[in-house]
Amino acid sequence: MTSKYRVLTYEQKRQFETDGYLIVKGLFTEVQLAEIDITFEEISHQVILGHFEPDLQKETSDPLKRYPRVMHPHRFNETAKRYMLHQPVMDVLADLYEEEPLAAQSMFYYKPPGARGQALHQDNFYLKVEPGNCIAAWTAIDPAHEENGGLLVVPRTSSYDIVCPDLSDAKESFTTHYVKPPKDQKAIPVVMERGDVLFFNGNLIHGSYRNKTKDRFRRSFICHYANSSATRIATHYRPLFRADGTPVELEINPNGGPCGVEYDTPYIH
């Protein structure tokens, strides 16, 4: 069978279609990763209203108060926007979608030692890409594993419907929503090295562990994308962008919402 994909093998494409996720290595050079390091180290010492609002004044028992996630850095930082539109990532997305991808969101997670994780959830509950689906590109800036709060996925749940979430455990999750895995299916850890990119379907149930280490961050650069044939998306993710940076306006889907409602800090998206 002749593959029609530009960068992925038939086996990789099949894995994504079957399991709902795929790790691709080598999409970022070490020079590019170092530039991301520097960019978000600089941001970590700032307050950027609506995007990054750390407590820089005093010590706090919650490390996420000092290092909250950065929301939509592409809206105020050109380096973040450039890597949201990183061509090797966009090429993989074009293979997965079999059409042009559109960039909808960027985030940066510092995930400091002791930080809570994020309860199991489904991304398209928030983005509401229709018709079609969102795909996440989750880039490990630090190695990610069970000890420092790496990702959990529930394989083969990408074909499941979006469900209304339950309330999560606030002691372990910094967001309020929790989606229970289907019966007889369990979340498994995804072990990643620096620079690995995990692509996963917007219906896939996934989350993360607490960072149980005392001295290791688990930084990640996470972007969400939509298929170009989509006509609607939640308002928090507009405008979208083509690979060349051209903005694209889709209709507002009124049923969407911010990507993970936090217990204490409702960020403006």
Side-chain angles (χ1 to χ4, degrees):
M1 181 176 180
T2 302
S3 175
K4 58 182 175 295
Y5 313 118
R6 293 182 294 167
V7 294
L8 296 178
T9 65
Y10 173 79
E11 290 74 19
Q12 286 175 310
K13 182 70 182 299
R14 182 177 178 129
Q15 181 191 337
F16 184 85
E17 292 172 346
T18 302
D19 294 335
Y21 66 96
L22 172 71
I23 293 176
V24 181
K25 295 179 176 291
L27 297 184
F28 290 85
T29 67
E30 183 53 43
V31 170
Q32 292 165 342
L33 291 166
E35 186 176 12
I36 294 172
D37 289 339
I38 293 169
T39 297
F40 287 98
E41 173 61 23
E42 292 175 350
I43 289 173
S44 74
H45 299 286
Q46 304 175 46
V47 173
I48 303 164
L49 295 179
H51 297 280
F52 182 66
E53 301 180 34
D55 184 346
L56 299 175
Q57 302 303 316
K58 62 181 186 297
E59 291 295 324
T60 173
S61 59
D62 183 358
L64 291 178
K65 296 293 186 185
R66 172 60 186 89
Y67 288 102
R69 56 185 175 171
V70 186
M71 304 304 297
H72 287 309
H74 71 277
R75 293 182 178 172
F76 64 87
N77 183 278
E78 284 302 312
T79 301
K81 183 175 182 180
R82 178 156 43 87
Y83 286 122
M84 179 182 73
L85 302 175
H86 190 48
Q87 194 61 54
V89 170
M90 298 296 273
D91 287 344
V92 170
L93 290 162
D95 277 3
L96 296 176
Y97 276 130
E98 298 184 2
E99 61 179 285
E100 180 188 8
L102 301 175
Q105 183 193 34
S106 63
M107 296 186 289
F108 190 88
Y109 281 53
Y110 294 95
K111 195 75 175 281
R116 287 170 291 170
Q118 186 168 5
L120 295 173
H121 62 282
Q122 296 168 293
D123 287 347
N124 212 37
F125 177 82
Y126 309 101
L127 278 83
K128 278 293 182 181
V129 173
E130 295 177 344
N133 208 330
C134 63
I135 294 178
W138 197 104
T139 302
I141 306 303
D142 295 312
H145 44 74
E146 295 180 56
E147 286 300 307
N148 73 343
L151 278 185
L152 296 160
V153 299
V154 184
R156 304 194 176 203
T157 53
S158 54
S159 60
Y160 281 75
D161 290 338
I162 296 293
V163 301
C164 186
D166 297 321
L167 186 66
S168 69
D169 180 357
K171 294 180 180 178
E172 294 299 324
S173 173
F174 76 94
T175 52
T176 62
H177 292 157
Y178 168 69
V179 172
K180 185 178 180 180
K183 186 178 180 180
D184 300 326
Q185 291 185 257
K186 295 182 179 180
I188 63 172
V190 180
V191 178
M192 300 173 66
E193 297 300 322
R194 173 172 165 86
D196 290 354
V197 183
L198 176 71
F199 295 86
F200 55 90
N201 175 288
N203 285 40
L204 186 81
I205 299 173
H206 68 285
S208 67
Y209 291 105
R210 170 186 289 273
N211 185 342
K212 295 179 286 188
T213 72
K214 297 185 181 301
D215 57 358
R216 282 173 285 170
F217 280 67
R218 189 231 64 188
R219 298 170 302 159
S220 53
F221 181 57
I222 308 164
C223 299
H224 287 94
Y225 303 83
N227 45 295
S228 59
S229 59
T231 59
R232 298 181 296 280
I233 193 170
T235 188
H236 311 279
Y237 308 95
R238 300 164 70 248
L240 293 81
F241 293 90
R242 300 186 189 279
D244 64 2
T246 303
V248 177
E249 291 286 357
L250 300 186
E251 295 176 21
I252 296 174
N253 191 330
N255 297 322
C259 196
V261 179
E262 299 186 20
Y263 274 99
D264 298 317
T265 310
Y267 276 93
I268 299 170
H269 280 51

